[in-house]
Amino acid sequence: MDESDADFSTVKQHAADNDTLVQLKTDEYLLPGFIDLHVHAPQWPNAGVALDQPLNEWLDTYTFPLEAKYQDTAFAKRVYDDLVAELIGNGTTTALYFGTTHNPANSELAMACITHHQRGFIGKVAMDNPDQTPEYYRDASAQSAVADTESFIQQLTELNQTADIKQTPVITPRFVPSCTPESLKGLGELAKKYDLPVQSHCSESDWENGYALEHYHMRDAEVLDQYGLLTDKSVMAHGTLLNQSDLDTFKDRGVAIAHCPISNVYFGNAVLPVSKLLHQDVKVGLGTDLSGGYSPSLYQNIRQAVISSRMLHDGVNAELSPEERGTDNQPISAKNGFYLATVGGAKSLHLKTGQIKAGYLADLQVVKSPLRAFEDENMETVFEKIMYHASKSDIKRVYVQGTQAK
């Protein structure tokens, strides 16, 4: 409602009388909460570690050993409590999480989301391919990968019965190299049976892309589609190497892409052409990709998304002439980045949020303008300063479904 509504004064006075009226200071602004479409929750302790390594070596040397530690639920509880609080503190009201193969730890992640009033979409990671996963950290078989996924769906359904903010189970094949055809098939059948979201990685790197071509003689998008894992509830991370045929499939199926601009600098082997995807009506949101992306802040990722798009457009090889150096992919603006972190994410997860308007979920952040104004400034100037300068300390309050979480 606004001041033009007949009962505005009455409602405002009632809120004041009940100590629920929140009044912003002159340098504070109300924004929609952010939606992070790609978080590896167990990797939080490694944020920023060994990002100079090739993706496959980084996984084997640093990531899989860390994720294996989550068989210790006490360790999981400590990490996940800290992670969810950190994301809330950065204005992230909804997050799409990869968990681990361990369901007790995945339940701890769900409980951390409930405790901190965050809306979580959480997946039990499936990874059963003995050729690409270590013996100490993988599903024992395709059958157990699928059965444990179904068990986690049931556990989360039971947990939701007493939760104010519901958590959503997500079908989560890690990516094509980590899974056998049998597990991919079973997971696709589960996604259809329960009508659930699906998340994975797709065309993230030359290595990942090459694996599918070598072992399936198909692109990884085609492999995932073959097993029913590309639906209008699917979110595929990265996508830096998707070709036009892949993008046509994504649009036809309604698949969303989680753009992870910081992580893509290290592991993506290319820059995602965001403006091209948006022009083709492919759904795109924003992800931090902890810990391949070192920052839990979507503000930081908005900035990198803008920077990367400009470098893609202008080119980076000074040995080429200006006419040859860049591409025809237009750079995006801070407004486009903000769209990805709000509306883009909401559309990807089929949520009525990401905007401040009647009938939408009250997922909000109160942000203090991070820079002093030396003269009158219009809202566009204030907005751009917030997008380029805001940090966790500038986010004063966060609300999820109207409940204050920070």
Side-chain angles (χ1 to χ4, degrees), residues 208-222:
E208 179 190 320
N209 208 41
Y211 181 92
L213 291 171
E214 178 182 353
H215 290 81
Y216 290 87
H217 308 294
M218 300 165 65
R219 295 179 60 78
D220 59 354
E222 295 175 298

Side-chain angles (χ1 to χ4, degrees), residues 190-234:
L190 277 187
K192 182 177 181 179
K193 176 180 178 180
Y194 290 98
D195 190 26
L196 286 175
V198 178
Q199 63 178 341
S200 190
H201 303 78
C202 191
S203 295
E204 175 184 3
S205 66
D206 292 323
W207 168 72
E208 179 190 320
N209 208 41
Y211 181 92
L213 291 171
E214 178 182 353
H215 290 81
Y216 290 87
H217 308 294
M218 300 165 65
R219 295 179 60 78
D220 59 354
E222 295 175 298
V223 176
L224 293 166
D225 191 39
Q226 171 180 292
Y227 291 112
L229 293 163
L230 297 186
T231 74
D232 70 343
K233 290 187 175 182
S234 296

Side-chain angles (χ1 to χ4, degrees), residues 100-258:
T100 63
T101 62
H102 318 99
N103 277 344
N106 297 329
S107 293
E108 290 293 343
L109 176 56
M111 287 185 280
C113 290
I114 292 168
T115 297
H116 292 284
H117 305 291
Q118 186 185 62
R119 185 181 302 105
F121 286 69
I122 302 167
K124 178 263 180 232
V125 171
M127 40 189 290
D128 69 311
N129 183 2
D131 294 333
Q132 291 295 322
T133 54
E135 185 176 0
Y136 65 82
Y137 182 54
R138 67 168 174 253
D139 292 298
S141 66
Q143 292 73 23
S144 66
V146 174
D148 287 351
T149 298
E150 187 162 27
S151 176
F152 181 63
I153 294 169
Q154 294 162 354
Q155 290 170 31
L156 208 50
T157 300
E158 184 174 344
L159 191 62
N160 278 336
Q161 292 179 4
T162 56
D164 293 331
I165 295 178
K166 308 303 181 187
Q167 310 300 307
T168 301
V170 183
I171 305 300
T172 307
R174 189 176 199 111
F175 57 177
V176 168
S178 290
C179 298
T180 62
E182 292 78 15
S183 64
L184 292 174
K185 180 176 183 292
L187 294 169
E189 291 170 351
L190 277 187
K192 182 177 181 179
K193 176 180 178 180
Y194 290 98
D195 190 26
L196 286 175
V198 178
Q199 63 178 341
S200 190
H201 303 78
C202 191
S203 295
E204 175 184 3
S205 66
D206 292 323
W207 168 72
E208 179 190 320
N209 208 41
Y211 181 92
L213 291 171
E214 178 182 353
H215 290 81
Y216 290 87
H217 308 294
M218 300 165 65
R219 295 179 60 78
D220 59 354
E222 295 175 298
V223 176
L224 293 166
D225 191 39
Q226 171 180 292
Y227 291 112
L229 293 163
L230 297 186
T231 74
D232 70 343
K233 290 187 175 182
S234 296
V235 178
M236 295 291 121
H238 306 293
T240 51
L241 298 177
L242 294 168
N243 65 18
Q244 189 56 54
S245 176
D246 299 329
L247 293 177
D248 291 342
T249 299
F250 275 35
K251 181 179 178 181
D252 290 345
R253 305 285 187 272
V255 177
I257 296 173

